[in-house]
Amino acid sequence: MWFLESWLENPKTVKKMIYLLYLSLIIVCLMGVVNQFAPSAEHEADVGHTEHEAHTEHDAVEEHTEHAPFVFEEIPIFNAVFGLIMCVILGLGAKAYGHNLVMKEEDYYDR
Amino acid sequence: MTGDIITIPPAAIFIIGALLIPLFKGRVRQAYLLLIPIVAIIDVYLMQHGTYWYHPFMEYELILGRVDLLSKCFGYVFVIVALAMTFYALHVKETGEHIAAFLYIGSALGVVFAGDLFSVFIFWEVMAWASVFLVWYRRKKASIDAGFRYLIVHVVGGVLLLGGIILYMQESGGSIAFNGFDYASPATILILLGFIINAAVPPLHAWLPDAYPEATITGAVFMTAFTTKTAVYVLVRSFSEFTIDGVAILMYLGAIMALYGVIYAILENNIRRLLAYHIVSQVGYMVCGIGIAASTMGVVSEMAIDGTVAHAFCHILYKGLLFMGAGAIIYMTGKSKLTELGGLYKVMPLTMIFYMIAALSISGAPLFNGFISKSIIIHAAAMDHNMLIFLMLEVAAVGTFLSVGLKLPYFAFFGKDVGIKAKDPPMNMLIGMGIAAFLCILLGVYPSLLYNILPYPSAVADYAPYASGHLIGTLQLMLFTYAGFLLLKKKLHPENTISLDTDWFYRKGSVIFVWFINNPLARGAQWTADAAIVVKNFAAWFSKNPAEALGIITDRICLIILNISQGTSLVGQTAEDMIDDRQRNYPGEPVRRDPIGVSVLLGTFFLFVYLIYVVIPYLSVYVVVILLLIAVFTGIGVRIKEMMRMAG
C-alpha cells in the first residue's frame, strides 16, 4: 500500500481533502435547500390528498415518507446544524462528565 | 410438521454438532465446523411456518418449533452470521472454545424457536453457561474475574426469569405459553427484568462492557450476536404491547440506553470496550422500537416492530464485523488501547476496509445496512409524533458516527503512526469479515431483500429509505458530524483511563462484602466458638462433682455479695482460703460422706418435689412461684448461716 501511503501522507493531499470536505458541506446544504423548495413531481401529486384530512393509516404512511412530521424538519439545513451542534455538545459534555465523575486510573479496581 | 422435506430443530444441529467436534482433527475438523452452519442455514430455509416439535415434560408440553415470520427472521440471521463467525474462528486450536461457541449458538436458536416459557428458560441458562467459557478461554486473570461477574449477573437474571415464569403459571392457571404479556403484574415484571438484563438495559447493562472486551478474540465476536439479540427477540415476542399505566417504559429505557452507550463510548480507550458500549447503544434503538410499538396502534406499531427486527438483523452483521476488525487488530498487534495504536492502515489495509464498511453501516451511512434499518425505528418515532424520542435517537446516531465511524478509525488506523509491525490477519479471518461486509452492503443496496422477510412486510412496503429528504438529511448529519470531529480532534484524544459504570456497585460492593465477612462476621464466628469452648470446659469441670462444684460456686457468690471474709475460722483460715482450698482439691472425693439422716432428708425432699410436681396442675401459677421462691431462699439462708458459723 506504499502508493496510498505516499499519497495520503503528502500535506498537499491533506489540504485538498480538507477543501473537498468544505465543498461537500456546502453541497449537501444546497441540496437540502433545493429539495425543500423544489419538491419532486411525485411529491406534488401526493400533496393533494395528504392535507391533514384523510388520516387513514395507509395515507399516514405515504404522507410521512416525504413529509416531515416536525416543524424543525422544514428547515432545509436542520440536520447539518443539528449534527454539528450535537457533535460538539456530545464530545465536550461526555468528556466533562468523564473527567469530573467516572474516569479513573486503569488499576482502580485492583487497588 | 407437514411436507416432504424433513427438518430438525436448528438448535439440535448446533448442540449435537458441538458434542461431535472432539472426534475430528485438523483440516477435517475445519470442514466439519463449516458444515454445521451450512446445514443449519438450509434447515432454517426449509422450515415451514407453524408450531411443531412437541415434547412432553412432566405434565407440560415443550414446543421447540414455533416458526413464523418473526422467529424465522432471527433464525436466518443467526445461522448466516454463525457461518461468517465460524470462518473467522477456524484457526482456533482449542476444542473447548468451538464446543462452547456452538452450544451457545444452538441455545440461542433454541430460544428463538421456543414456543413455551420452559424451553425459553432452559435455553436461556445454557446460553449463559456456554458463553462464559468464551470469556474464560482467554485464560487471563482479568478474563476469569470478568467471566465470574458475567455469570453472576446472568444467573441472577435467570432466577428472576424463573421466578416470573412460576408466578405467571399461578396467575394463568398453569399455562406456560410464551406469548404477549400486555399487563403489569409481579409475574410479567420479573420476566421483563430477566429479559432486560440480557438486553443490557441500564442500569443492568454493566456485564456487557465488562465481559465482552475480556473474552477471546473469536469468542467476543460470537457473543456480540446472540445474547442481546435473543433478548430483543423475546422482548419483541412478548413485550411489544406492554405498558405500565399506559406508559410504554421500554420506549424511554431504549432511548436512554441509546444515549448512555454513546456517552461512555466517547470516553473509552479500549477498542473492544468502545464497541461494546455501542452494542448497548444500538440495542437501545431496538428496545425503543419495541416501546414505540407498545405505545402506538396499527401500522405505526407494526412498522416499529419491523424496524426493531430489521435493525437487529443488520446490527448482528455489522457489530460482528466491527468486533472481527477490532479482534484482528488485537490478534495481530497484541494491543487493544487506542493510546497505543495508530497508523495501522499501512500494515492492515484489508482490516481497515472491512472495519470501515461496518463503521459506516452502524453509523447509518447510505448504501450500508444501518441506513435502511435504523431509519425505520426513527421514522416510527416521527410518525408517532414523539419529538423527544426522535431527537434522542438522532443524537445517538451522531454519537455513534463520532465514536465508531470517526474516533476509533482515526486513532487506530490513521492518526499518529506508532510504527507497529503487523500484517493483515490469516485468510480464514478475512473470509469471515468478507462475508459479513458483503451482507452489510448487499442489504444496504437492496433493502427489499430484508424488508420481505420482516414480521409485517406490508407495513414497510411503502417505506422508502432512499427518499431524497432522508438521504440528504443523513448526509448533512454525517458530514457535519465529521466537521465537528475535526474541530474537536484534540479534545477527543483517547486517554489512558477506565470509566466507572454501574458495575462499580458490585465490584466495589463486593470488596465491602468481603471485608464484612473477614472482619465483623469472622470475629463474631470466633466469639461464638470461644464461648462454646468455655461452656464445654465448664460443663466438663462441673460434671466431675456437681454437688461440690455447686457448693463452691454458691459459696463464692455469697462471699462476694455478703463480704464476710474478715473473720477467721478455728484453724486460722479466712473464708476465701477455705474456698480456694476446696477448689484446689476439686473434684476431691466424689461421694459425700454424710450421716444417714441426710440421705433420709434428701429422699424426703425428692418425694416432696414429686408431690408438688403431681399437685402443680391443680395449683395456680402464683402458688408455684411462691413455693419455688421459698425453697430458694430457704436454701440460701441455711447456707449463709452455716458459713457465718464457719467464719466464726
Side-chain angles (χ1 to χ4, degrees), chain B residues 287-525:
Chain B
V287 172
C288 184
I290 298 163
I292 295 170
S295 72
T296 53
M297 307 282 283
V299 75
V300 180
S301 173
E302 290 179 354
M303 189 167 205
I305 288 182
D306 277 351
T308 303
V309 177
H311 201 44
F313 198 105
C314 295
H315 175 88
I316 288 172
L317 296 172
Y318 62 65
K319 186 56 80 177
L321 183 51
L322 284 170
F323 264 78
M324 289 182 195
I329 293 178
I330 299 171
Y331 185 64
M332 300 312 291
T333 68
K335 298 180 195 310
S336 60
K337 289 193 256 173
L338 282 179
T339 42
E340 295 172 351
L341 294 166
L344 282 179
Y345 81 97
K346 295 172 194 166
V347 286
M348 302 179 78
L350 290 173
T351 310
M352 189 269 287
I353 291 168
F354 287 136
Y355 175 87
M356 284 315 295
I357 289 172
L360 290 170
S361 299
I362 192 176
S363 311
L367 299 181
F368 296 94
N369 65 1
F371 179 74
I372 60 114
S373 61
K374 180 157 61 176
S375 56
I376 306 177
I377 299 174
I378 299 179
H379 187 71
M383 285 171 70
D384 187 26
H385 291 276
N386 197 328
M387 194 194 289
L388 176 70
I389 297 294
F390 176 84
L391 286 179
M392 284 171 87
L393 295 184
E394 286 283 18
V395 173
V398 170
T400 306
F401 185 48
L402 181 63
S403 290
V404 184
L406 297 169
K407 181 184 149 184
L408 197 155
Y410 182 84
F411 290 109
F413 291 112
F414 305 99
K416 195 168 121 267
D417 189 353
V418 294
I420 295 170
K421 297 267 182 296
K423 55 185 195 320
D424 269 318
M427 185 50 85
N428 67 301
M429 291 169 96
L430 290 174
I431 293 176
M433 291 157 86
I435 295 173
F438 170 74
L439 290 170
C440 284
I441 298 175
L442 180 72
L443 295 180
V445 179
Y446 294 106
S448 56
L449 285 177
L450 175 58
Y451 289 177
N452 286 338
I453 59 167
L454 292 179
Y456 301 104
S458 60
V460 284
D462 294 327
Y463 177 66
Y466 287 102
S468 59
H470 180 221
L471 190 61
I472 293 167
T474 309
L475 286 175
Q476 283 184 0
L477 200 71
M478 293 184 71
L479 281 167
F480 276 85
T481 306
Y482 186 22
F485 171 73
L486 291 180
L487 281 178
L488 291 178
K489 210 167 64 186
K490 287 256 154 45
K491 292 265 181 199
L492 288 176
H493 219 276
E495 293 164 79
N496 211 358
T497 56
I498 57 163
S499 304
L500 303 188
D501 204 338
T502 49
D503 55 346
W504 183 87
F505 290 100
Y506 52 81
R507 293 179 77 170
K508 281 293 168 185
S510 68
V511 173
I512 296 167
F513 181 66
V514 169
W515 178 86
F516 179 76
I517 288 175
N518 281 341
N519 291 297
L521 214 57
R523 272 191 205 162

Side-chain angles (χ1 to χ4, degrees), chain B residues 168-238:
Chain B
Y168 177 73
M169 285 166 64
Q170 281 195 326
E171 265 178 23
S172 62
S175 158
I176 56 166
F178 179 42
N179 290 316
F181 307 119
D182 52 356
Y183 59 94
S185 71
T188 56
I189 294 210
L190 279 180
I191 294 176
L192 179 66
L193 278 174
F195 287 169
I196 67 175
I197 282 182
N198 267 27
V201 176
L204 307 171
H205 69 289
W207 59 268
L208 194 159
D210 182 19
Y212 283 18
E214 304 298 345
T216 62
I217 301 291
T218 55
V221 172
F222 284 107
M223 292 173 85
T224 59
F226 299 104
T227 302
T228 48
K229 255 53 78 191
T230 45
V232 169
Y233 166 78
V234 292
L235 286 172
V236 172
R237 172 69 74 190
S238 55

Side-chain angles (χ1 to χ4, degrees), chain A residues 8-110:
Chain A
L8 273 178
E9 309 275 298
N10 185 347
K12 272 188 190 162
T13 326
V14 175
K15 207 159 233 175
K16 270 184 210 158
M17 285 171 77
I18 297 285
Y19 285 133
L20 195 67
L21 175 67
Y22 289 151
L23 191 67
S24 54
L25 292 179
I26 296 165
I27 289 174
V28 285
C29 288
L30 286 179
M31 278 164 73
V33 175
V34 170
N35 187 56
Q36 184 68 30
F37 296 108
S40 65
E42 181 200 344
H43 185 186
E44 268 175 354
D46 223 36
V47 168
H49 69 100
T50 52
E51 291 275 320
H52 301 290
E53 54 205 8
H55 266 284
T56 64
E57 281 170 352
H58 228 73
D59 277 341
V61 177
E62 280 169 20
E63 177 189 355
H64 290 297
T65 47
E66 271 299 310
H67 258 293
F70 304 120
V71 185
F72 51 72
E73 292 242 295
E74 302 289 324
I75 306 165
I77 56 161
F78 168 76
N79 277 299
V81 178
F82 183 79
L84 184 64
I85 293 175
M86 279 305 154
C87 175
V88 172
I89 291 178
L90 261 183
L92 298 183
K95 281 283 183 180
Y97 166 68
H99 286 147
N100 290 317
L101 284 171
V102 295
M103 281 166 102
K104 301 281 178 214
E105 296 295 311
E106 284 191 322
D107 60 348
Y108 176 81
Y109 282 119
D110 303 326

Side-chain angles (χ1 to χ4, degrees), chain B residues 270-285:
Chain B
N270 180 319
I271 49 177
R272 285 200 294 178
R273 189 157 284 136
L274 187 156
L275 295 175
Y277 273 114
H278 273 286
I279 299 179
V280 175
S281 171
Q282 294 297 305
V283 174
Y285 279 94

